[in-house]
Amino acid sequence: MHQESVKFMRPLYSLCRLLPNNYQHFLAFIFAIEEINRSPHLLPNITLGYEFHNSLYSHWRTLENSLSLLTGQNEIPNYSCTRETKSMAVITGASWTTATQTGSLLELYKFPQVSFGSFDPMLSDNDLFSSLYQVAPKDASLALGMVSLMLHFSWSWVGLIITEGHKGLQFLSDVSAEMDKKSICAAFVKIIPTPLVSYMSNLLPLEILTSETSLVNVVVIYYESGGLNEVNYNIGQHFVTWKVWVTNAQWQADMAGTNFILDSFHGTLIFSNHHEEISGFEDFVQEANPFKYPEDTYLTMYWYANFHCSFSDSCALKNCTANASLVWLPVNRFDPGMSDASYNIYNAVYVVAHALHEMLLQHVKNPPVRSLDLMDFSAWQLHPFLKNIQFNNLAGDQVNLDDERKLHNGYDILNSWNFPEGLRLKVNVGMFSPHSPLGPQLSLSDDMIEWASAITQNPRSVCSENCNPGFRKSPQEGKAACCFDCNPCPENEIANDTDMEQCVKCPDHQYASIQRNRCLQKAVTFLAYSDSLGKALTSTALSLTLLTLAVLGLFVKHRDTPTVKANNRALSYTLLISLTCCFLCSLLFIGRPNTATCILQQITFGLVFTVTVSTVLAETLTIGLAFKVTAPGRRMRRLLVSGAPNSIIPICSLIQLTLCCIWMGTNPPYIDTDAHSEYGHIIIVCNKGSLTAFYCVLGYLGSLALVSFTVAFLARNLPDTFNEAKFLTFSMLVFCSVWVTFLPVYHSSKGKAMVAMEVFSILASSAGLLGCIFAPKCYIILFRSKRNSSYVFRNKSHFVRNKPY
């Protein structure tokens, strides 16, 4: 194969002018051309050539450049004036807008187009752009990466600035969906018109920083192309030093020299497509100068503007700074690092070179009948090889044009450090990997990030501060979900994490801490003997028991005295013994309940009080019969002499026992727990079982007490030295008052208070009977012994019997 100088690769730029950053793209293109021409393995003996066309923001200029590329002149379509060279492909950075013009024209000729611009799904439509191939990786994970960054810094309130165009709208849709999944809200969305999309962009004033943008500290800026300088200028002129800008890889601030605004873009976070460094590119940039490429008029003028050169009479540069290089310039004037677009251009050149190499190899393996010259090939013959091309570039990255097989290596996260006089650094502070084995992962070195000048620590951007544990979020009416109030959790409910929307109720065996951020295990408790209340009630019960036994002993000792013998001595003994049992039965309510004590509590309580009250009733009837029955031989007198009133005690007790047996046989008391009465405690209590049976027992007891009170009340004025009807009346009044008061208080009490109330009522009512009935008798026995004699008794009785009525 002989050496040819073939110009078949022509870059077509969709740029309004050749800016310094765009010139880097041109240098990347030249670097790739020269690298391939030096390679002995790729297109040996063939020298690649090129033509450069600068596409302006004009539909007419765009079509004119396309015709010029095809025909070699600007006047006659479908006719090529070129003879020595032939174009085989065009490398373009055109957006979808210009691609619809240049692409439609080049499609007529099936002319191969390799785009180095950011990936555009609409350009993958084979029906419209069957001859167009895209080198750039897909940006499908950009929205996910930016939302991951928001989550990393807990930013939940961000602004979105999107440049006009279908890619911007697609990004807006993607990032909005991801933000909704992670409960991140957009404070505002601004669509910025661009010249390539909207004719109105030059007519309407561009207002980016308004009152609504001041509400957020973090703003995401996404743009396709065009409108870049307008965005930079509009933000920069306001000297914004409190915002964090997050943007895609195309973000460049083309500002020069002393006019460079220091802080507006300091700390910007940039998502750049990850790629390995191309070896030798910076050396190539360092060596590029007008003397090496004298035909490059742009480089000549750029050298003149930046290195104090002058022109000789022959328009040649002279008196330039010695050993001057582009790498000397501040990065705002020229950035020597290979950008995403430059990297794509480098790959695009190699894509066409590899495709051409494969095409030539195929013809070498299957030679035609006649010898073919390179000029005999048509551009459309390159398509089958471009479609299937796949290789690893010199940096080790895989390159292919199949959209379905494209590999996306993720994003480098760059931090822009801006300094006076146009000095700027882009520092790699992290990476987002969308396809890692463990799922999308963000790795970031927070300590390396330089924020805007007014931010001294990791910035916050929230509509409402986080709700701490113990509080729940309450939405603010008419506002976004990220704007909320923090309300404390209700009683016995917790929120153990930040920003919980609902509080969680603690289980019955647990209770909420004071901070309401966790559930604590409830302590099991009951009315124990060791409690202060338990000690007080136990001491009282035992003291009253001893007192009752002392009274019983006193009565036994003085059993032959009139005071003891009056009103039936046996009934007094029975009443004192039953009162002793009443005091002791209260101890069944104290201590840890079990099934036996729960049953014994109610049976013992019901029976001993029935015996007590029925004894009082029997004694009251005895008094009444004794004073009403005075004639010998009458039937009532025989009843009194025979002790018939004493039979009331077993009869009444038998009825109560029957009620208790029915209670125990149907729904007896059982052990229960009360988890709600006392905060932080589970109280072990005895459940009454059948409340109906309980109230029947209590009601029957109350009926006996009421009958006793009525009989005693009727006999209160009967005269006698030892007539205790008055005391019996008062004792039953106290007894009834205690238990009438007991019912409402018992129902309003809970837990241990309910048990204590029941014990107190037992002790109070029993003590009332003891004190009211026996205190006067004991007083007479101990301190008025003269009144406790038969002589006084007989005289008093004789006086009463002979007293005229």
Side-chain angles (χ1 to χ4, degrees), residues 446-744:
D446 294 7
D447 55 340
M448 293 182 60
I449 299 177
E450 284 282 335
W451 300 109
S453 300
I455 301 176
T456 57
Q457 57 186 359
N458 285 354
R460 290 183 55 78
S461 188
V462 296
C463 181
S464 299
E465 290 297 329
N466 294 338
C467 289
N468 294 325
F471 294 82
R472 63 179 178 86
K473 296 196 299 185
S474 180
Q476 295 179 359
E477 187 175 356
K479 294 187 178 181
C482 298
C483 301
F484 49 82
D485 297 319
C486 296
N487 295 329
C489 289
E491 185 178 357
N492 206 39
E493 294 187 11
I494 66 163
N496 57 3
D497 202 355
T498 57
D499 290 341
M500 290 189 66
E501 296 182 356
Q502 296 294 335
C503 297
V504 180
K505 191 172 183 179
C506 290
D508 285 344
H509 64 279
Q510 294 181 335
Y511 69 100
S513 62
I514 297 177
Q515 296 79 14
R516 297 184 182 177
N517 58 356
R518 61 191 180 120
C519 290
L520 304 176
Q521 193 71 27
K522 287 184 177 180
V524 176
T525 185
F526 48 87
L527 184 58
Y529 292 106
S530 57
D531 294 345
S532 57
L533 182 59
K535 289 179 180 178
L537 293 174
T538 302
S539 300
T540 304
L542 293 176
S543 299
L544 291 173
T545 300
L546 294 175
L547 180 60
T548 306
L549 291 175
V551 173
L552 178 60
L554 184 64
F555 268 50
V556 172
K557 182 179 179 181
H558 299 86
R559 60 185 176 277
D560 296 326
T561 62
T563 302
V564 177
K565 293 172 64 177
N567 306 318
N568 198 325
R569 179 172 51 190
L571 289 178
S572 296
Y573 293 161
T574 304
L575 183 57
L576 286 170
I577 293 172
S578 63
L579 285 175
T580 302
C581 294
C582 288
F583 290 130
L584 291 176
C585 85
S586 65
L587 298 178
L588 292 172
F589 293 83
I590 305 174
R592 189 183 184 95
N594 55 57
T595 304
T597 56
C598 285
I599 294 175
L600 287 175
Q601 281 177 7
Q602 306 307 324
I603 293 178
T604 307
F605 163 74
L607 290 178
V608 297
F609 267 86
T610 300
V611 172
T612 301
V613 176
S614 60
T615 302
V616 173
L617 178 60
E619 192 167 352
T620 307
L621 288 174
T622 300
I623 295 172
L625 290 174
F627 283 93
K628 295 294 184 182
V629 182
T630 58
R634 295 186 60 178
R635 184 179 301 175
M636 284 189 177
R637 185 177 181 85
R638 288 196 298 269
L639 289 175
L640 180 63
V641 173
S642 64
N646 294 346
S647 63
I648 292 176
I649 299 174
I651 293 172
C652 293
S653 300
L654 184 60
I655 295 173
Q656 185 70 287
L657 181 61
T658 303
L659 291 175
C660 289
C661 290
I662 295 173
W663 184 6
M664 298 304 117
T666 54
N667 189 6
Y670 57 90
I671 299 175
D672 198 5
T673 56
D674 183 359
H676 307 288
S677 298
E678 191 171 335
Y679 186 75
H681 293 85
I682 297 177
I683 304 173
I684 302 177
V685 295
C686 287
N687 191 297
K688 297 295 187 293
S690 174
L691 287 177
T692 302
F694 171 70
Y695 287 120
C696 285
V697 169
L698 205 60
Y700 175 71
L701 190 59
S703 300
L704 287 178
L706 186 60
V707 172
S708 298
F709 172 74
T710 303
V711 174
F713 181 78
L714 294 175
R716 72 188 186 283
N717 292 323
L718 295 176
D720 189 65
T721 303
F722 303 103
N723 178 22
E724 58 181 341
K726 293 181 180 179
F727 305 129
L728 291 174
T729 302
F730 189 68
S731 67
M732 293 314 299
L733 179 62
V734 172
F735 183 89
C736 293
S737 300
V738 169
W739 287 104
V740 168
T741 307
F742 162 79
L743 289 174

Side-chain angles (χ1 to χ4, degrees), residues 327-339:
V327 297
W328 290 9
L329 299 175
V331 290
N332 73 300
R333 296 191 183 184
F334 187 85
D335 188 352
M338 182 171 280
S339 65

